[in-house]
Coordinates of all heavy atoms in Angstrom, one line a residue:
Chain U
R1049 N -61.4 7.8 -4.0 CA -60.6 9.0 -3.5 C -59.3 9.0 -4.0 O -58.6 8.0 -4.0 CB -60.7 9.1 -2.0 CG -60.1 10.4 -1.3 CD -59.9 10.2 0.1 NE -59.1 11.3 0.7 CZ -59.5 12.4 1.2 NH1 -60.8 12.6 1.4 NH2 -58.7 13.3 1.7
C1050 N -58.8 10.1 -4.3 CA -57.3 10.3 -4.9 C -56.7 11.5 -4.1 O -57.3 12.6 -4.1 CB -57.4 10.6 -6.3 SG -55.8 11.0 -7.0
S1051 N -55.4 11.4 -3.7 CA -54.7 12.5 -3.3 C -53.5 12.6 -4.1 O -52.7 11.7 -4.2 CB -54.2 12.3 -1.7 OG -55.3 12.4 -0.9
P1052 N -53.3 13.8 -4.8 CA -52.2 13.9 -5.7 C -50.9 14.2 -5.0 O -50.8 14.2 -3.8 CB -52.5 15.3 -6.4 CG -53.4 16.1 -5.4 CD -54.2 15.0 -4.6
R1053 N -49.7 14.1 -5.7 CA -48.5 14.2 -5.2 C -48.5 15.7 -4.7 O -49.2 16.6 -5.1 CB -47.4 14.2 -6.2 CG -47.2 12.8 -6.7 CD -46.0 12.9 -7.8 NE -45.9 14.2 -8.6 CZ -44.9 14.5 -9.1 NH1 -43.6 13.9 -9.0 NH2 -44.8 15.7 -10.0
S1054 N -47.6 16.0 -3.6 CA -47.5 17.2 -3.0 C -47.1 18.2 -4.1 O -46.1 18.2 -4.7 CB -46.5 17.1 -1.9 OG -46.3 18.5 -1.3
G1055 N -48.0 19.3 -4.1 CA -47.6 20.4 -5.0 C -48.3 20.3 -6.3 O -48.3 21.3 -7.2
D1056 N -48.8 19.2 -6.7 CA -49.4 19.0 -8.1 C -50.9 19.5 -8.0 O -51.6 19.3 -7.1 CB -49.5 17.5 -8.6 CG -48.3 17.0 -9.0 OD1 -47.3 17.8 -9.2 OD2 -48.1 15.8 -9.3
L1057 N -51.2 20.3 -9.0 CA -52.6 20.9 -9.1 C -53.5 20.2 -9.9 O -54.7 20.4 -9.9 CB -52.4 22.4 -9.6 CG -51.5 23.3 -8.9 CD1 -51.5 24.6 -9.5 CD2 -52.1 23.5 -7.5
S1058 N -52.9 19.3 -10.8 CA -53.8 18.7 -11.7 C -54.1 17.1 -11.4 O -53.2 16.4 -11.0 CB -53.1 18.8 -13.2 OG -54.0 18.5 -14.2
V1059 N -55.3 16.7 -11.5 CA -55.6 15.4 -11.3 C -56.4 14.8 -12.5 O -57.3 15.5 -13.1 CB -56.6 15.3 -10.1 CG1 -57.2 14.0 -10.0 CG2 -55.7 15.6 -8.8
Y1060 N -56.0 13.5 -12.8 CA -56.7 12.8 -14.0 C -57.3 11.6 -13.5 O -56.7 10.9 -12.7 CB -55.8 12.5 -15.1 CG -54.9 13.7 -15.7 CD1 -53.8 14.3 -14.9 CD2 -55.1 14.2 -16.9 CE1 -53.1 15.4 -15.5 CE2 -54.5 15.3 -17.4 CZ -53.4 15.8 -16.7 OH -52.7 16.9 -17.2
W1061 N -58.2 11.1 -14.1 CA -59.1 9.9 -13.9 C -59.0 9.0 -15.1 O -59.3 9.5 -16.2 CB -60.3 10.1 -13.3 CG -60.5 10.5 -11.9 CD1 -60.7 11.8 -11.5 CD2 -60.3 9.7 -10.7 NE1 -60.6 11.8 -10.1 CE2 -60.5 10.6 -9.5 CE3 -60.0 8.4 -10.4 CZ2 -60.4 10.1 -8.2 CZ3 -60.0 7.9 -9.0 CH2 -60.1 8.9 -8.0
Y1062 N -58.6 7.8 -14.9 CA -58.5 6.9 -16.0 C -59.3 5.5 -15.6 O -59.2 5.2 -14.5 CB -57.2 6.5 -16.5 CG -56.3 7.7 -17.1 CD1 -55.6 8.5 -16.3 CD2 -56.3 7.8 -18.4 CE1 -54.9 9.6 -16.8 CE2 -55.8 9.0 -19.0 CZ -55.0 9.7 -18.2 OH -54.2 10.8 -18.9
Q1063 N -59.9 4.9 -16.5 CA -60.4 3.6 -16.4 C -59.7 2.5 -17.2 O -59.5 2.7 -18.3 CB -62.0 3.6 -16.7 CG -62.8 2.3 -16.5 CD -64.0 2.4 -17.2 OE1 -64.0 2.4 -18.5 NE2 -65.2 2.2 -16.6
Q1064 N -59.4 1.5 -16.4 CA -58.8 0.3 -17.2 C -59.7 -0.8 -17.1 O -59.9 -1.5 -16.1 CB -57.4 -0.1 -16.7 CG -56.6 -1.1 -17.5 CD -55.3 -1.3 -17.0 OE1 -55.0 -1.2 -15.9 NE2 -54.5 -1.9 -17.9
S1065 N -60.2 -1.3 -18.2 CA -61.1 -2.5 -18.3 C -60.7 -3.5 -19.4 O -59.9 -3.0 -20.4 CB -62.6 -2.2 -18.5 OG -62.8 -1.6 -19.8
L1066 N -61.0 -4.7 -19.4 CA -60.7 -5.7 -20.3 C -61.2 -5.3 -21.7 O -60.5 -5.3 -22.7 CB -61.2 -7.1 -19.9 CG -60.4 -7.8 -18.7 CD1 -60.9 -8.9 -18.3 CD2 -58.9 -8.0 -19.3
D1067 N -62.4 -4.7 -21.7 CA -63.0 -4.4 -23.1 C -62.6 -3.1 -23.7 O -62.2 -3.1 -24.8 CB -64.6 -4.2 -22.6 CG -65.3 -5.4 -22.3 OD1 -64.7 -6.5 -22.5 OD2 -66.4 -5.3 -21.8
Q1068 N -62.3 -2.2 -22.8 CA -61.9 -0.8 -23.3 C -60.6 -0.4 -23.2 O -60.2 0.6 -23.8 CB -63.0 0.3 -22.6 CG -64.5 0.1 -22.7 CD -65.0 0.2 -24.0 OE1 -64.3 1.0 -24.9 NE2 -66.0 -0.5 -24.4
G1069 N -59.8 -1.3 -22.5 CA -58.4 -0.7 -22.3 C -58.4 0.3 -21.3 O -59.1 0.5 -20.4
L1070 N -57.4 1.2 -21.5 CA -57.1 2.3 -20.6 C -57.8 3.5 -21.2 O -57.2 3.9 -22.3 CB -55.7 2.5 -20.4 CG -55.0 2.2 -19.2 CD1 -53.5 2.1 -19.3 CD2 -55.4 3.0 -17.9
Q1071 N -58.7 4.1 -20.5 CA -59.4 5.3 -21.1 C -59.4 6.5 -20.2 O -59.6 6.4 -18.9 CB -60.8 5.0 -21.5 CG -61.1 4.0 -22.7 CD -62.5 4.2 -23.1 OE1 -62.8 4.9 -24.0 NE2 -63.4 3.4 -22.4
F1072 N -59.2 7.7 -20.7 CA -59.2 8.8 -19.9 C -60.7 9.2 -19.7 O -61.6 9.1 -20.5 CB -58.6 10.0 -20.7 CG -58.9 11.4 -20.2 CD1 -58.1 11.8 -19.2 CD2 -59.8 12.2 -20.8 CE1 -58.3 13.1 -18.6 CE2 -60.1 13.5 -20.4 CZ -59.3 14.0 -19.3
L1073 N -61.0 9.6 -18.4 CA -62.3 10.0 -17.9 C -62.5 11.4 -18.0 O -63.3 12.1 -18.5 CB -62.6 9.3 -16.7 CG -62.7 7.7 -16.6 CD1 -63.0 7.2 -15.2 CD2 -63.8 7.2 -17.7
I1074 N -61.7 12.1 -17.0 CA -61.8 13.5 -16.8 C -60.6 14.1 -16.0 O -59.8 13.3 -15.5 CB -63.1 13.7 -15.8 CG1 -63.5 15.1 -15.8 CG2 -62.9 13.1 -14.5 CD1 -64.9 15.2 -15.2
Q1075 N -60.4 15.4 -16.1 CA -59.3 16.0 -15.6 C -59.8 17.3 -14.8 O -60.6 18.0 -15.3 CB -58.3 16.5 -16.7 CG -57.0 17.3 -16.0 CD -56.4 18.1 -17.0 OE1 -56.7 18.3 -18.2 NE2 -55.3 18.8 -16.5
Y1076 N -59.1 17.5 -13.7 CA -59.4 18.7 -12.9 C -58.0 19.4 -12.7 O -57.0 18.9 -12.6 CB -60.0 18.4 -11.5 CG -61.4 18.2 -11.6 CD1 -62.1 17.0 -12.0 CD2 -62.3 19.2 -11.3 CE1 -63.5 16.8 -12.1 CE2 -63.7 19.1 -11.5 CZ -64.2 17.8 -11.8 OH -65.5 17.7 -12.0
Y1077 N -58.1 20.8 -12.7 CA -57.0 21.6 -12.3 C -57.3 22.6 -11.3 O -58.2 23.4 -11.7 CB -56.4 22.2 -13.7 CG -55.2 23.2 -13.5 CD1 -53.8 22.6 -13.3 CD2 -55.5 24.5 -13.5 CE1 -52.9 23.5 -13.0 CE2 -54.3 25.4 -13.3 CZ -53.0 24.8 -13.0 OH -52.0 25.6 -12.8
N1078 N -56.7 22.6 -10.3 CA -56.9 23.5 -9.2 C -58.4 23.8 -8.9 O -58.8 24.9 -8.8 CB -56.2 24.8 -9.6 CG -55.9 25.7 -8.4 OD1 -55.8 25.2 -7.2 ND2 -55.7 26.9 -8.6
G1079 N -59.1 22.7 -8.9 CA -60.5 22.7 -8.4 C -61.5 22.8 -9.6 O -62.7 22.8 -9.4
E1080 N -60.9 23.0 -10.9 CA -61.8 23.4 -11.9 C -61.8 22.2 -12.9 O -60.6 21.6 -13.3 CB -61.4 24.6 -12.6 CG -61.7 25.9 -11.9 CD -63.1 26.3 -11.6 OE1 -63.9 26.1 -12.4 OE2 -63.2 27.0 -10.5
E1081 N -62.9 21.8 -13.6 CA -62.9 20.8 -14.6 C -62.2 21.4 -15.8 O -62.5 22.3 -16.2 CB -64.3 20.3 -14.8 CG -64.4 19.2 -15.9 CD -65.8 18.9 -16.4 OE1 -66.6 18.6 -15.4 OE2 -66.1 18.9 -17.4
R1082 N -61.3 20.5 -16.3 CA -60.4 21.1 -17.5 C -60.7 20.3 -18.8 O -60.7 20.8 -19.9 CB -59.0 21.1 -17.1 CG -58.3 21.8 -18.2 CD -56.8 22.0 -17.8 NE -56.4 23.3 -17.4 CZ -55.2 23.7 -17.3 NH1 -54.2 22.8 -17.3 NH2 -54.8 25.1 -17.0
A1083 N -60.9 19.0 -18.7 CA -61.1 18.2 -19.8 C -62.0 17.0 -19.5 O -61.9 16.4 -18.3 CB -59.8 17.8 -20.5
K1084 N -62.7 16.6 -20.4 CA -63.6 15.4 -20.2 C -63.4 14.4 -21.3 O -63.1 14.8 -22.6 CB -65.0 15.9 -20.3 CG -65.9 15.4 -19.1 CD -67.3 16.1 -19.2 CE -68.1 15.7 -18.0 NZ -69.3 16.4 -17.9
G1085 N -63.4 13.2 -21.1 CA -63.3 12.1 -22.0 C -64.4 11.4 -22.1 O -65.6 11.9 -22.0
N1086 N -64.2 10.0 -22.1 CA -65.4 9.0 -22.2 C -66.0 8.7 -20.9 O -66.0 7.8 -20.5 CB -64.8 7.8 -22.9 CG -64.4 7.9 -24.3 OD1 -64.8 8.8 -25.1 ND2 -63.3 7.3 -24.6

Side-chain angles (χ1 to χ4, degrees):
Chain U
R1049 181 188 170 105
C1050 168
S1051 293
R1053 293 186 320 155
S1054 177
D1056 283 358
L1057 298 178
S1058 199
V1059 168
Y1060 303 77
W1061 286 97
Y1062 292 88
Q1063 179 195 58
Q1064 184 178 25
S1065 65
L1066 285 175
D1067 293 344
Q1068 304 289 334
L1070 258 167
Q1071 286 200 97
F1072 167 76
L1073 295 178
I1074 198 164
Q1075 181 203 2
Y1076 278 81
Y1077 177 77
N1078 203 20
E1080 301 286 328
E1081 181 184 305
R1082 190 175 246 193
K1084 228 170 184 176
N1086 300 324

